[in-house]
Amino acid sequence: MSSEEKYEVTYFPHGRRDFFPTGTTAMAAAEKLGVDISTVCGGKGTCGKCKVRIDEGYETLGPIKPGETKHLTKDMIEQHYRLACLIKVKNAPLKIYVPDISRVGKQRLQTEGLEVPVTPKPMVRKYFVKLPVPTLHDMRADEERILDALGDQYGLDRNRLRIDYDEIVKKYLPIKLREANWEVTAVVWGDKVMAVEAGNTSDRCYGFACDIGSTKLAGFLMDLNHGKVVAVGSRMNPQIPMGEDVLSRISFTLFGGEEAQDKLQKAVVGGINEIIDECCEKAGVKTDEIYEMTYVGNVAMQMFFLKYWPKHVAYSPYPPVVRRGVYVPTTRLGLKGHPHSNAYYLPVFGGFVGADQLACIMATQMLERDEITMDLDIGTNTEIAVGNKDLVTCDSCASGPAFEGMEIKYGIRASTGAIEKVTIDPSSLELHYRTIEDAPAVGICGSALIDIPAELLKSGLIDNKGKFVEKMTKETNRLRKSKEGMWEYVIAWSQESATGIDIPITQGDLRELQKAKAAMHTGAELMLKYRGLTEKDLDKFWLAGAFGNYIDPENARTIGMYPELPTEKYVFVGNAAGTGARMALISTEMREYAEEISRKVVYYELAVAKEFQDEYAKSNYIPHQDFNKYPLTKDLLYRLGRIDEKNKWIYPE
Ligand code: FES
């Protein structure tokens, strides 16, 4: 195509620009230019997250499409906002402004998790050996010389040992031995000498553990000799532009075939390699000093990473392709590290319950305990496990991305300017909020999305069906009808926000939040029911996941997201999946334990449970239909005049 047929597209505030042919979508141009624009639907025009303002070339774009009117308010349309995935370059240059709300931005990513003491017993060990020089009286082969020395000097099983073929051929083993004056370090992985290094390098032996989340990646560079973390890094999962949740990424693959599958795999590996580089730089380690890696993630992440065809896990009965732990050479996956290193992906359970949940069970040691505990790993897909040493059962529920700020009109991830905490004074109905880094408000993130319905409920601004109580408009101007005719409650006024527009929570948003919390509650409730247990039987409630630590547990309990337990039973364990990945990296015993967990833990598929719909319908109420189960909330609601003395909800007149 000639340059005359291309038109300049410039993105602000990034200032990135290039020429694109007519027909290129604004989203595709952004992707090429490395401009991050939020997406949930992978560019299908259904999520509304890619709002951009057209500062030049607006008139060339044609009329607003029906998909856009659903997501753009009248004000936005007047200000020339469009959806980046639905507009195309058309015979003219474009100047496009990406507002804060549509930027992926710098995220607050949690990498810390439980610290569980594990005695290092890694799969990779280094042994320094001084080899006898060959003579006419000692004509052993180079290979035998090394293997004998490992047997004689370190008691390794001589008969099982062998040397990696590539190490002998491609790394010129005979030359290396002689140049090193027969003093070398053998790097042994299991029964294989994976590398032979000149001199004594035995104090430099590293591994890398990684939690592949649908939203974020967390990586840990570890000293395998001492079992210590030497550097930590994290990134947003670069697969996000291809779909913000696992189902959109699966459909992206099914739609785009092998090419899309390749794109997803390369994206995640690219992100991991960046973390490896960052960790190595921080710790002064060379990437080829990483001799082994461990990975955890849900079943879809396993499939994308290992390039398993993911179609069938999306359909009942949701079978994974491989359940056991898998070893793959890192070079086959495109990962940095020693060229002969291996990656071990921990076992998965089934459905969408994967190695991340297994790693949580390892980290919390649920299967070792007498007491009954439950863990909840909150994410787009929330995984739940309950039990003790006799039996642990697990399930997962599609809680959706609402608490990650998606499907919420002004929802954003936890990044600078995100409203993260909201309180409403029930007597004055005055609202206070806090943003991340105290920056002007950009949108609302997960922790505040739990506070808001709880605070609205406690203040009598919504009823237990999650509906705004319209008569309250007399008492606060924050409750109003939008131009589109939908009830909403203003959290931040335009003069306080970074975007210059009001940031409300809408009736539609509350519905999404109700659905998400109802899914989690249903998952936890059914898991208890199947086991003949109630909340009272739980001695501990482990809360894992990136945003678990930021949630106000009282508010989460008020909206019925968590089981009704005294708050002292809640234990925040942060990135427990990362903890499990590290445990498996530094200890082969932990790896065997992981395989044992995958055999012992019983997986339930909630989608087939006949009680699911009934339980889910009840869980949609705030906090729940059955108030008697929630004495603390009941007292509070009674005090606020929301229920009568018989626990019946008082509906507004
Ligand atoms: Fe454009 Fe979803 S609507 S990415």
Side-chain angles (χ1 to χ4, degrees):
M1 186 161 294
S2 72
S3 59
E4 291 84 54
E5 292 170 295
K6 289 186 177 179
Y7 302 90
E8 191 174 50
V9 177
T10 312
Y11 271 99
F12 296 100
H14 314 73
R16 303 209 183 125
R17 67 190 70 210
D18 205 347
F19 290 85
F20 296 91
T22 288
T24 308
T25 64
M27 187 63 124
E31 219 177 294
K32 280 245 159 57
L33 291 168
V35 171
D36 279 332
I37 297 183
S38 197
T39 167
V40 175
C41 66
K44 290 196 212 76
T46 54
C47 71
K49 290 291 160 193
C50 61
K51 298 176 186 82
V52 290
R53 195 182 68 213
I54 311 303
D55 289 350
E56 196 179 302
Y58 182 79
E59 57 297 338
T60 67
L61 299 175
I64 300 268
K65 301 192 170 67
E68 292 178 288
T69 42
K70 255 174 73 187
H71 299 289
L72 300 173
T73 61
K74 281 183 185 155
D75 281 351
M76 286 175 152
I77 293 171
E78 274 162 27
Q79 290 172 40
H80 289 184
Y81 273 88
R82 303 290 300 257
L83 295 186
C85 66
L86 293 182
I87 52 167
K88 293 178 178 167
V89 176
K90 201 169 168 201
N91 305 327
L94 291 175
K95 285 195 176 155
I96 302 174
Y97 174 76
V98 186
D100 283 354
I101 197 165
S102 302
R103 286 182 217 154
V104 177
K106 189 172 178 293
Q107 306 293 312
R108 181 170 63 186
L109 301 171
Q110 174 156 19
T111 50
E112 301 86 19
L114 273 180
E115 276 313 319
V116 183
V118 174
T119 309
K121 206 175 169 201
M123 187 92 157
V124 179
R125 285 284 194 198
K126 280 183 151 188
Y127 301 95
F128 175 59
V129 283
K130 290 184 179 179
L131 305 173
V133 179
T135 64
L136 281 175
H137 301 291
D138 178 5
M139 293 168 62
R140 284 176 298 164
D142 291 349
E143 183 206 33
E144 285 175 308
R145 209 165 288 280
I146 296 173
L147 300 186
D148 287 347
L150 288 171
D152 296 344
Q153 294 175 37
Y154 294 101
L156 303 191
D157 186 349
R158 166 69 184 83
N159 295 322
R160 296 168 65 109
L161 285 173
R162 65 205 150 80
I163 300 185
D164 187 277
Y165 173 81
D166 277 352
E167 189 60 26
I168 299 174
V169 177
K170 292 194 186 151
K171 295 290 174 92
Y172 299 100
L173 180 70
I175 299 174
K176 196 187 290 176
L177 288 178
R178 285 157 184 84
E179 282 181 357
N181 208 17
W182 300 96
E183 293 191 2
V184 290
T185 301
V187 188
V188 181
W189 181 78
D191 292 328
K192 186 165 78 170
V193 178
M194 60 181 281
V196 177
E197 297 172 348
N200 186 353
T201 63
S202 56
D203 62 336
R204 297 187 66 81
C205 188
Y206 298 96
F208 181 75
C210 186
D211 169 27
I212 307 179
S214 321
T215 307
K216 67 154 182 33
L217 311 172
F220 308 86
L221 182 65
M222 297 193 76
D223 177 337
L224 296 181
N225 289 334
H226 302 102
K228 294 264 177 290
V229 176
V230 293
V232 178
S234 64
R235 291 279 184 289
M236 294 301 289
N237 188 332
Q239 294 175 330
I240 292 170
M242 289 159 255
E244 291 218 24
D245 59 36
V246 291
L247 285 176
S248 355
R249 281 178 227 174
I250 292 174
S251 53
F252 174 78
T253 318
L254 301 188
F255 192 66
E258 233 176 280
E259 200 183 316
Q261 196 188 10
D262 208 43
K263 217 171 159 189
L264 275 170
Q265 201 267 350
K266 287 205 166 85
V268 71
V269 166
I272 293 168
N273 281 339
E274 282 178 23
I275 299 176
I276 291 177
D277 280 337
E278 180 191 327
C279 288
C280 284
E281 201 183 313
K282 280 185 196 164
V285 170
K286 288 189 265 169
T287 53
D288 62 5
E289 290 178 305
I290 299 176
Y291 301 99
E292 205 189 17
M293 304 184 185
T294 52
Y295 287 89
V296 298
N298 65 39
V299 177
M301 290 304 117
Q302 178 221 39
M303 293 176 156
F304 300 143
F305 179 62
L306 300 176
K307 278 190 95 172
Y308 296 152
W309 186 242
K311 177 176 175 181
H312 303 101
V313 79
Y315 297 98
S316 178
Y318 318 101
V321 177
V322 177
R323 200 170 66 86
R324 63 179 169 77
V326 180
Y327 285 98
V328 186
T330 53
T331 46
R332 294 282 297 276
L333 298 170
L335 291 162
K336 293 192 173 181
H338 189 280
H340 302 158
S341 58
N342 284 285
Y344 172 69
Y345 200 105
L346 273 71
V348 302
F349 292 114
F352 287 100
V353 186
D356 48 354
Q357 174 63 308
L358 185 142
C360 283
I361 294 172
M362 268 174 92
T364 54
Q365 298 169 303
M366 289 174 76
L367 253 177
E368 308 305 305
R369 295 174 185 271
D370 290 324
E371 65 208 14
I372 295 171
T373 65
M374 176 179 256
D375 94 39
L376 198 79
D377 189 357
I378 303 165
T380 312
N381 212 57
T382 295
E383 287 97 21
I384 301 152
V386 65
N388 63 0
K389 63 180 173 28
D390 300 327
L391 177 65
V392 169
T393 48
C394 69
D395 68 13
S396 79
C397 54
S399 36
F403 288 116
E404 308 234 16
M406 294 171 239
E407 312 286 346
I408 302 298
K409 194 164 184 184
Y410 292 96
I412 56 169
R413 293 216 179 93
S415 52
T416 309
I419 296 171
E420 60 169 349
K421 180 79 202 141
V422 174
T423 50
I424 301 172
D425 179 342
S427 48
S428 67
L429 297 183
E430 252 325 290
L431 176 144
H432 297 281
Y433 66 81
R434 189 180 69 218
T435 62
I436 295 178
E437 292 174 23
D438 288 327
V442 173
I444 310 165
C445 74
S447 49
L449 289 169
I450 289 166
D451 292 337
I452 291 170
E455 294 290 312
L456 289 172
L457 181 80
K458 288 188 272 184
S459 307
L461 285 154
I462 57 170
D463 63 21
N464 75 326
K465 290 178 182 153
K467 289 259 184 332
F468 281 115
V469 178
E470 293 164 23
K471 71 169 187 189
M472 300 297 277
T473 47
K474 292 191 195 89
E475 295 174 50
T476 172
N477 60 345
R478 289 180 184 269
L479 185 60
R480 67 186 188 189
K481 260 194 176 170
S482 68
K483 284 187 188 160
E484 291 74 30
M486 194 193 262
W487 283 100
E488 62 183 21
Y489 178 81
V490 180
I491 305 295
W493 297 107
S494 57
Q495 57 271 25
E496 305 155 8
S497 77
T499 50
I501 47 177
D502 292 344
I503 300 177
I505 192 91
T506 69
Q507 188 68 72
D509 296 338
L510 288 174
R511 183 69 204 115
E512 290 303 322
L513 295 169
Q514 264 173 288
K515 286 196 285 185
K517 77 97 191 169
M520 288 183 211
H521 189 274
T522 305
E525 191 70 15
L526 287 183
M527 196 82 292
L528 288 170
K529 269 193 182 158
Y530 287 159
R531 300 294 308 280
L533 301 168
T534 70
E535 290 104 324
K536 290 194 181 69
D537 297 310
L538 297 177
D539 290 301
K540 259 195 192 77
F541 185 58
W542 313 96
L543 276 161
F547 94 135
N549 283 20
Y550 301 100
I551 294 175
D552 179 331
E554 188 59 54
N555 278 344
R557 193 171 60 168
T558 299
I559 63 168
M561 178 169 151
Y562 290 168
E564 182 59 31
L565 289 172
T567 41
E568 61 271 16
K569 290 198 176 182
Y570 293 114
V571 185
F572 293 100
V573 290
N575 187 350
T579 305
R582 295 198 299 274
M583 291 163 75
L585 179 66
I586 58 169
S587 164
T588 48
E589 279 169 6
M590 285 296 126
R591 235 171 267 188
E592 280 161 25
Y593 181 46
E595 298 286 346
E596 189 188 327
I597 292 175
S598 88
R599 287 190 300 272
K600 280 190 173 169
V601 171
V602 178
Y603 166 67
Y604 282 110
E605 178 49 64
L606 274 186
V608 297
K610 58 181 185 329
E611 310 90 334
F612 184 87
Q613 280 314 328
D614 184 42
E615 197 62 50
Y616 179 72
K618 285 198 281 178
S619 298
N620 263 282
Y621 286 79
I622 303 177
H624 189 276
Q625 204 174 33
D626 182 0
F627 292 127
N628 291 316
K629 289 176 62 180
Y630 297 93
L632 292 178
T633 311
K634 183 189 76 178
D635 288 345
L636 186 63
L637 293 173
Y638 180 68
R639 191 161 52 76
L640 294 169
R642 308 307 310 150
I643 55 172
D644 65 18
E645 61 287 347
K646 288 187 180 137
N647 299 339
K648 286 264 168 17
W649 188 260
I650 301 170
Y651 289 99
E653 292 134 25

